[in-house]
Structure formats: C-alpha cells, structure tokens
C-alpha cells in the first residue's frame, strides 16, 4: 500500500468544471471518504486517480511515483465501480481469479486458488464460488465486485459508492465488513459516497466535496462538531441541522457578527411549558421512527426539528419552551465563527 498525493488537481468537461484545485494526501493505510451530493465531482476524482481521465491541471503521486502521465494499466490501483461490473459468463471463482491471471503476475494455479478462497471468505461469498455471476443477487454481485478488487494488493483501492444499490440491512452489514477488512489488511482506501452514515462510520477522515472543491477534510468528529461553513454543517446530521436567525431562540452567549445559527438536536433544549403564554413554541407534530422520534416544533412560524426520546411524553399542540445551548454560529460569509 502507499500514500497518494493529489496536488492542484483539476478537470473540466467543456465549460463545466468537475474538479477544481484539489489538494489531498491520503496516508498509507488510511480510509478517506469523499462525501458530496450528486454532480460534486466524486466519480471524476476517482477516475483521475485511476487514469481513466486526464487532468487539465495538477499532479497525482502514488507512493514515490508521479503517475499523472501514466496509463491506467501502469498505475497500481483497484477500482470498484458505482455499477457492479462482473464478467457475466464467468463463475464467481473465475471473476475473483481474473485479476490474478495476468501473465505479469506469474502466480501458480495453487496460489491463485488459495488467494481467491481467502478473499471469498472475507467478503462472505465462499458458498457461491461455483455460481455464474448472473445467478447472484445484487448484494452478492457487489460482494464479488469488492472481492475482485481485494484479491489484488494494489497501492490504493478506489471505491465509487459500492453499496448504494443495496438494501439498508445489507448496506449496514457490508459497511462494517469493509471497515474490518480495510483495517485488517492495512489498505489505503479512497471511498466516495453521498451517504453520511457511510462516511461517519467508516472514514478515518472525511473530505467534503462541493461543486468540485474540497471544502473541508478532517476526522468524522471534526467535520461534525467543527464544520468550516454552512455547507459542511448541512452535509452531516440527522435530522438535518436547523438553520435559524439570531434572536429567534434564547441563547446564553453569542459572538458578534452572527447571521445564522446552526442548531442540531444536542444544541436544543425543549421543556414542557405550563401554558402557551409561558412558552415560546408548540409541538407541531411527532414523527415516530421506532427507537426514536423526530419532534417538529414551531417557534414564531419557523419549524425546528430534533430527535426526541419516544417516551418523552410530548404530543402535538403542547406548548414548549425552547432554548439553545452552545450552537454553531455562522457569519455573513457563511463561515463558522470560531472565536466564541
Ligand atoms: N464524461 C463527462 N462528460 C461531460 N461532463 C461530465 C463527464 N463526467 C462528469 N461530468 C460532469 O462533471 C460533474 C461531476 O460529475 P461526477 O460524475 O464526478 O459527479 P459525482 O459526484 O460522482 O455525482 P454522482 O453522485 O451523481 O455519481 C457533473 O457536472 C457531470 O455532469
Ligand atoms: Mg458518481
């Protein structure tokens, strides 16, 4: 495995800029997740690293080598695509063995067999080794696609939303598996997704991508608790962060120059009020999610949503007192005000 270094990387398609001035170092053995909405430039970034697109600015280093001008075959990367791409006429075994059969590797049949079985066990597909890949479920196909990347030992794994087509349960299982496998083999991995839960649970560091710009990179905790700006703050957190004007809710202390307050569940105190006159808001409705509720509150016509204990006893129409405790503050330029 190796460190991967992007410097000033840029790519346009005609007049549209897909990736702009991207600087990013992925350390050897690090799991970095790029998180961004559709069209943010996630796939383009991966394709640039793999050599499937030529950058029009900047450079890419893998380990000691500048690979910017090299063909995909000359770069030591393994790519798992957004749409799984198995060889339909081959069995699961042969799909997994395929990357090992290149003449350059000179692996014996015994070595290939052992490696394929090892990886198949790791991605839990060993019971289907003899099946045709067309006979697999979507989740099984995706396991094979991930396995086919893992059989090689490339400098870096590039994964493009590999779990997005799976159902929620399988996605949650594979998330954990992938993280386990990655740390077990010490893989350098760049993974792109628009799913904040995948980013939060798997990443050593999350990079937030917006319109081709890497706006912030840091540990999941840093990105969540200290977002650089409103855009980053809005990428993480469920329910969505509440963006409110100063003065709407009581707040113990507030720095100068605040234009927007960002309030997540943990920044909001809600207490039952004895009457409408004694509170400053009322419960609008409650969304039951099973283990948790979303409590929707109206304060002066503005909706505020937070997580609530299902046994909190609130019901629609209840008067409440709502206040803030240490929320996030953003200035006129949408950047977070850090000297609070
Ligand atoms: N081959 C191409 N030709 C023209 N424009 C392209 C091409 N590939 C990507 N783009 C444009 O570049 C921008 C970034 O696309 P990209 O595929 O990298 O986004 P993404 O973040 O992967 O989105 P998604 O989440 O939908 O997969 C988009 O505006 C897209 O339309
Ligand atoms: Mg994409």
């Amino acid at each position: 495995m190796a460190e991967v270094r992007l410097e000033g990387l840029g790519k346009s398609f005609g007049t549209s800029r897909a990736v702009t001035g991207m600087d990013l170092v992925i350390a050897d053995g690090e799991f970095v997740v790029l998180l961004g909405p559709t069209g943010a430039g996630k796939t383009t970034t991966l394709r640039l690293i793999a050599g499937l697109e030529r950058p029009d600015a900047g450079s890419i280093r893998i380990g000691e080598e500048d690979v910017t001008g090299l063909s995909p075959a000359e770069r030591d990367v393994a790519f798992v695509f957004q749409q799984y791409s198995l060889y339909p006429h081959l069995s699961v075994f042969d799909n997994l063995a395929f990357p090992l059969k290149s003449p350059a590797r000179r692996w014996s049949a015994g070595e290939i067999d052992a490696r394929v079985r090892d990886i198949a066990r790791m991605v839990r597909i060993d019971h289907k080794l003899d099946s045709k890949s067309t006979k697999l479920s979507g989740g099984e196909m995706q396991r094979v696609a991930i396995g086919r990347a893992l059989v090689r030992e490339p400098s870096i794994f590039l994964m493009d939303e590999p779990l997005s087509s799976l159902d929620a349960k399988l996605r949650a299982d594979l998330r954990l598996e992938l993280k386990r496998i990655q740390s077990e083999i010490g893989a350098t991995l760049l993974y792109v997704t628009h799913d904040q839960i995948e980013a939060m649970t798997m990443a050593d560091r999350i990079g937030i991508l917006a319109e081709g710009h890497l706006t912030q990179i840091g540990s999941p905790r840093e990105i969540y608790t200290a977002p650089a700006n409103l855009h980053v703050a809005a990428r993480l957190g469920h329910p969505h962060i509440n963006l409110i004007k100063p003065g709407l809710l009581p707040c113990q202390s507030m720095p100068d120059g605040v234009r927007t307050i960002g309030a997540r569940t943990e920044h909001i105190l809600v207490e039952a009020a004895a009457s409408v006159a004694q509170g400053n808001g009322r419960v609008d409705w409650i969304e039951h999610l099973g283990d948790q509720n979303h409590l929707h509150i109206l304060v002066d016509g503005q909706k505020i949503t937070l997580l609530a204990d299902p046994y909190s006893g609130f019901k629609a129409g209840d008067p409440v007192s709502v206040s803030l405790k240490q929320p996030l503050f953003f200035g006129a330029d949408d950047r977070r005000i850090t000297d609070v």
Side-chain angles (χ1 to χ4, degrees):
M1 292 288 151
E3 173 191 283
V4 174
R5 183 178 287 269
L6 312 181
E7 275 177 10
L9 199 63
K11 175 72 185 171
S12 297
F13 295 102
T15 54
S16 103
R17 299 189 65 78
V19 173
T20 307
M22 188 180 295
D23 293 317
L24 173 64
V25 180
I26 304 155
D28 190 359
E30 192 180 24
F31 196 140
V32 171
V33 176
L34 290 182
L35 182 66
T38 181
K42 304 184 296 295
T43 298
T44 305
T45 304
L46 295 187
R47 290 175 58 83
L48 285 165
I49 298 171
L52 300 168
E53 301 286 354
R54 280 290 157 105
D56 31 46
S59 67
I60 302 164
R61 297 184 77 85
I62 298 180
E64 295 302 305
E65 192 177 15
D66 186 331
V67 301
T68 320
L70 300 185
S71 71
E74 293 167 305
R75 305 182 187 198
D76 189 19
V77 306
F79 206 135
V80 180
F81 292 91
Q82 208 161 354
Q83 255 73 40
Y84 30 76
S85 46
L86 302 181
Y87 301 110
H89 56 289
L90 295 183
S91 67
V92 168
F93 184 97
D94 288 329
N95 264 283
L96 291 173
F98 195 86
L100 301 176
K101 288 186 172 164
S102 99
R105 285 189 184 261
R106 296 204 199 90
W107 281 35
S108 73
E111 285 169 323
I112 292 178
D113 189 79
R115 179 82 183 145
V116 166
R117 287 177 196 284
D118 242 19
I119 295 295
R121 260 192 303 278
M122 226 185 243
V123 296
R124 315 270 151 97
I125 197 75
D126 44 325
H127 56 299
K128 294 272 167 124
L129 279 173
D130 298 326
S131 305
K132 271 272 169 52
S133 62
T134 46
K135 298 275 160 66
L136 302 177
S137 74
E140 289 165 346
M141 285 189 208
Q142 203 54 339
R143 279 162 194 264
V144 179
I146 292 170
R148 201 173 52 182
L150 294 174
V151 290
R152 302 178 38 197
E153 289 170 318
S155 298
I156 183 167
F157 292 102
L158 304 172
M159 298 198 183
D160 193 352
E161 312 205 34
L163 309 183
S164 61
S165 59
L166 307 178
D167 72 59
K169 163 88 172 65
L170 197 53
R171 220 162 47 221
D173 289 351
L174 275 183
R175 228 171 32 224
L176 287 173
E177 287 294 292
L178 198 56
K179 181 68 194 166
R180 179 184 61 77
I181 293 168
Q182 181 267 342
S183 51
E184 222 170 86
I185 62 180
T188 308
L189 205 158
L190 181 61
Y191 184 104
V192 310
T193 183
H194 55 250
D195 181 340
Q196 56 164 315
I197 299 180
E198 288 182 8
M200 288 298 282
T201 53
M202 293 193 294
D204 294 319
R205 285 188 303 154
I206 297 175
I208 302 287
L209 204 57
E211 295 175 356
H213 292 271
L214 187 60
T215 40
Q216 188 176 1
I217 179 147
S219 69
R221 190 164 178 75
E222 273 169 322
I223 298 286
Y224 183 81
T225 59
N229 58 32
L230 271 177
H231 172 83
V232 176
R235 292 297 327 161
L236 292 183
H238 190 73
H240 201 259
I241 192 168
N242 296 283
L243 301 178
I244 57 187
K245 293 283 160 230
L248 182 74
L249 297 175
C251 184
Q252 273 192 343
S253 66
M254 186 155 52
D256 292 335
V258 175
R259 190 173 71 173
T260 309
I261 293 177
R264 303 193 199 273
T265 290
E266 59 271 30
H267 303 135
I268 302 170
L269 279 173
V270 180
E271 290 169 315
S275 66
V276 175
Q278 285 177 27
N280 58 353
R282 66 174 172 81
V283 176
D284 187 23
W285 58 294
I286 298 169
E287 212 178 339
H288 300 281
L289 303 174
D291 57 338
Q292 285 171 322
N293 287 345
H294 281 179
L295 193 58
H296 299 265
I297 293 173
L298 276 173
V299 178
D300 234 9
Q302 161 139 24
K303 199 167 99 172
I304 290 164
T305 306
L306 64 151
L307 277 179
D309 190 305
Y311 305 105
S312 62
F314 287 117
K315 50 186 196 315
D318 283 355
V320 287
S321 293
V322 190
S323 58
L324 296 170
K325 48 169 187 183
Q326 298 175 319
L328 305 174
F329 299 110
F330 300 91
D333 56 1
D334 286 349
R335 297 190 66 77
R336 190 169 60 87
I337 299 170
T338 51
D339 50 339
V340 177

